[in-house]
Amino acid sequence: MAHERSAATATSAGLVLLTLASGQFLMTLDSSVMNVSIAQVAEDVGTTVTGVQTAITLYTLVMATLMITGGKIGTLIGRRKAFSIGCVIYASGSLTTALAPSLTVLIIGWSFLEGIGAALIMPAIVALVAANFPAEERPKAYGLVASAGAIAVAAGPLIGGAVTTFWTWRLVFVGEVVLVGAILLLARKVRDVEPEESFGIDYVGVVLSALGLGLVVYGVLRSGEWGWVRPKEGGPDILGVSPTLALVVAGLVVLRLFLRWEDHVTAQGREPLVATRMFANPRLTGGLVMFFFQFLIQAGLFFTVPLFLSVALGLTALETGVRLLPLSVTLLIAAVGIPKLWPEASPRRVVALGLAALLAGIVSLIAALEVGVGPEAVTVPLLLAGLGVGALASQLGAVTVSSVPDEETGEVGGLQNTSTNLGASLGTALAGSVLIAALTSSFLQGVQDNPDVPDQVVAQAETELASGVPFVSNADLQEGLDAAGVSDAAAQAVIETNESARIAGLRLSLAVLAVMAALALFLTRLLPTQPAGRA
């Protein structure tokens, strides 16, 4: 009988872990699929790569701005209920996205509805793991849930590539609706966390945090078209300065006001949106900082590399997914293998080695990119980058969760997911804005210096493209030049200039990511030297 009860308990724990890991898988899958299908999605909904980049950024931004609020709602109504409600909202967004005829509807379904659903789901997952597993089993459980995210990164490009190539990317979102239905059925096996004593939501804190984060990310997103400090020709300005700088500074000021407001709420004996005392915990803050950098670099890499493969080289979505497989495979191997083979390893050392591998991968990719290079150029760099990201994924979750008592795991889940989604949002926006800015500068300078390009074409380009040159394939550019009546010789010169400008833009964008990796490597001193659960 004891053996039967033990088996039943193991089965129940397995179902709980499957449910929560499936939720984590679903949250990570979206961005991975969307990145590899950018070109097809843009064409299908009648927009540009920049338009899809806006949707990607808004999706992660909505999650980042609402994640702490979602955690508080879970504390108020119960984490399982918050998890289930989030799943319903998420499924509604997936269905809307699957049927989207335009960018506007895509943004409503994917960026907003799915983002709101994820803001309820992800903090609840952290708390529900703590509620359903004893302390000695939690590190393994958290590691397996984190690995589900790594599996989504590995599977996303292939799923997105295969479905987009043979059918349509819309079927991915239909499949998400079905998966959510299965998760909701399994969620009944998950033991709920009893709601804490009733308290009011800090609505002022919600508005201030969302406004501050939104201003910062939107400013970065528009920097490619507006300029960072000096406004671009024909672009808006505020007292002679680009709105980008004004938005970022204003966002930082609002975030400072948010923290002061939270201190005020706490001093009055009310429940704050964020307990600022938690930022005095060095283990927690170190983990959050590393999470931010990991997802910033990871998102930027998964934005630029698929663009090179699908637009610059003209690969199909499936071919792009296959070429991304080296990163996905080594990421999964490192994320699962390191905790199993070296459970006593120093988190600081593992993360430092991971960042070094990630930096080496980015630098080698910069060196490999040149006009005429084939898709094989990304293989070795992505192998290195995958090992680096996987090493970080194997450590950081345990670092943050083990830094606080069990009763605060929900709040840590909100902070952790805010950090990761803010990093991903800024990574995509930063990579995209730097890419467009460098592409525009290189292309306009190139046509000016090319004697085969007529003065009339140069003047037209300087007028119409001053705010930003779109990242387009040779075929699409040729079609546009033919429609404009440009001669064959001039068209060929423009195409060659665009090829060189694309590579210049990609290399500069990757160089910025390399700088971020080097900075993160320096900041690993914030991490503990002892593994989770040890002093």
Side-chain angles (χ1 to χ4, degrees):
M1 292 295 293
H3 176 73
E4 291 177 358
R5 285 195 300 270
S6 177
T9 301
T11 301
S12 177
L15 288 175
V16 169
L17 195 55
L18 175 63
T19 304
L20 300 179
S22 296
Q24 187 71 38
F25 176 89
L26 190 64
M27 299 301 97
T28 310
L29 182 67
D30 256 9
S31 296
S32 183
V33 168
M34 190 64 78
N35 275 325
V36 80
S37 306
I38 284 177
Q40 288 79 2
V41 174
E43 181 179 357
D44 207 11
V45 300
T47 186
T48 62
V49 167
T50 302
V52 179
Q53 179 200 349
T54 300
I56 293 172
T57 301
L58 286 175
Y59 171 60
T60 51
L61 177 59
V62 168
M63 288 193 290
T65 56
L66 297 180
M67 199 68 69
I68 296 174
T69 303
K72 283 293 184 182
I73 291 174
T75 302
L76 186 63
I77 67 174
R79 272 69 177 232
R80 190 178 71 178
K81 183 180 290 186
F83 179 83
S84 299
I85 292 173
C87 284
V88 172
I89 296 174
Y90 193 92
S92 300
S94 294
L95 183 59
T96 302
T97 303
L99 301 174
S102 65
L103 178 62
T104 300
V105 178
L106 180 77
I107 288 175
I108 291 172
W110 190 54
S111 303
F112 287 99
L113 288 177
E114 288 196 20
I116 292 169
L120 289 168
I121 293 169
M122 296 178 77
I125 289 175
V126 176
L128 288 171
V129 169
N132 285 268
F133 294 91
E136 64 273 12
E137 295 182 13
R138 288 176 195 167
K140 180 181 178 181
Y142 280 119
L144 289 173
V145 170
S147 296
I151 292 172
V153 173
L158 287 178
I159 293 173
V163 174
T164 301
T165 299
F166 296 113
W167 298 286
T168 170
W169 57 272
R170 298 178 187 273
L171 288 180
V172 174
F173 293 91
V174 173
E176 288 185 351
V177 176
V178 176
L179 181 57
V180 168
I183 290 174
L184 285 172
L185 289 175
L186 292 173
R188 292 180 297 177
K189 299 289 186 180
V190 178
R191 188 162 65 89
D192 203 354
V193 176
E194 289 297 324
E196 296 183 7
E197 184 178 347
S198 180
F199 57 84
I201 294 292
D202 175 18
Y203 293 107
V204 175
V206 171
V207 172
L208 288 175
S209 63
L211 178 61
L213 293 169
L215 288 171
V216 171
V217 175
Y218 186 70
V220 174
L221 174 64
R222 303 296 290 179
S223 62
E225 298 178 30
W226 293 346
W228 285 92
V229 178
R230 186 173 62 183
K232 289 190 174 182
E233 184 177 348
D237 69 274
I238 300 175
L239 300 177
V241 177
S242 168
T244 295
L245 182 61
L247 287 173
V248 171
V249 171
L252 294 175
V253 171
V254 172
L255 289 175
R256 176 59 181 164
L257 290 174
F258 163 68
L259 293 176
R260 295 193 65 172
W261 171 258
E262 295 306 286
D263 287 335
H264 171 70
V265 170
T266 302
Q268 289 190 329
R270 294 186 288 131
E271 185 73 19
L273 191 65
V274 175
T276 56
R277 60 174 173 75
M278 298 183 72
F279 295 117
N281 183 328
R283 189 181 186 106
L284 175 61
T285 54
L288 293 177
V289 168
M290 286 299 110
F291 262 125
F292 173 82
F293 277 101
Q294 176 195 337
F295 278 75
L296 186 154
I297 299 165
Q298 180 178 311
L301 199 60
F302 263 92
F303 179 77
T304 54
V305 175
L307 275 183
F308 168 67
L309 295 171
S310 63
V311 178
L313 300 185
L315 300 188
T316 66
L318 178 58
E319 291 169 335
T320 299
V322 170
R323 287 295 177 178
L324 292 174
L325 189 59
L327 181 146
S328 305
V329 171
T330 52
L331 188 158
L332 181 58
I333 291 172
V336 177
I338 291 175
K340 184 176 182 178
L341 297 177
W342 298 286
E344 300 299 315
S346 163
R348 182 186 297 179
R349 180 172 299 174
V350 173
V351 171
L353 290 174
L355 286 169
L358 183 56
L359 178 59
I362 295 173
V363 171
S364 63
L365 183 55
I366 294 172
L369 288 181
E370 59 184 27
V371 176
V373 74
E376 66 281 353
V378 305
T379 302
V380 172
L382 290 184
L383 284 171
L384 291 170
L387 285 174
V389 174
L392 269 64
S394 73
Q395 301 295 311
L396 296 182
V399 168
T400 56
V401 171
S402 66
S403 66
V404 299
D406 291 349
E407 58 269 19
E408 296 182 349
T409 55
E411 192 161 359
V412 167
L415 290 173
Q416 176 179 306
N417 285 295
T418 297
S419 181
T420 59
N421 284 285
L422 178 59
S425 180
L426 287 174
T428 303
L430 184 63
S433 63
V434 171
L435 173 62
I436 296 301
L439 171 63
T440 301
S441 176
S442 181
F443 178 81
L444 293 179
Q445 187 63 48
V447 295
Q448 288 175 1
D449 296 341
N450 195 323
D452 294 328
V453 180
D455 292 340
Q456 180 182 357
V457 175
V458 173
Q460 185 176 2
E462 291 176 340
T463 301
E464 298 182 3
L465 302 176
S467 62
V469 174
F471 197 92
V472 297
S473 65
N474 288 351
D476 289 341
L477 180 57
Q478 181 69 64
E479 183 179 342
L481 292 171
D482 290 342
V486 178
S487 68
D488 291 344
Q492 183 60 36
V494 171
I495 289 173
E496 290 176 356
T497 300
N498 187 57
E499 287 180 339
S500 298
R502 278 198 311 245
I503 295 299
L506 287 166
R507 295 183 73 180
L508 185 58
S509 186
L510 289 168
V512 171
L513 297 179
V515 171
M516 294 295 103
L519 177 59
L521 187 58
F522 174 77
L523 294 174
T524 54
R525 64 183 64 188
L526 298 174
L527 296 176
T529 57
Q530 296 296 324
R534 294 184 58 181

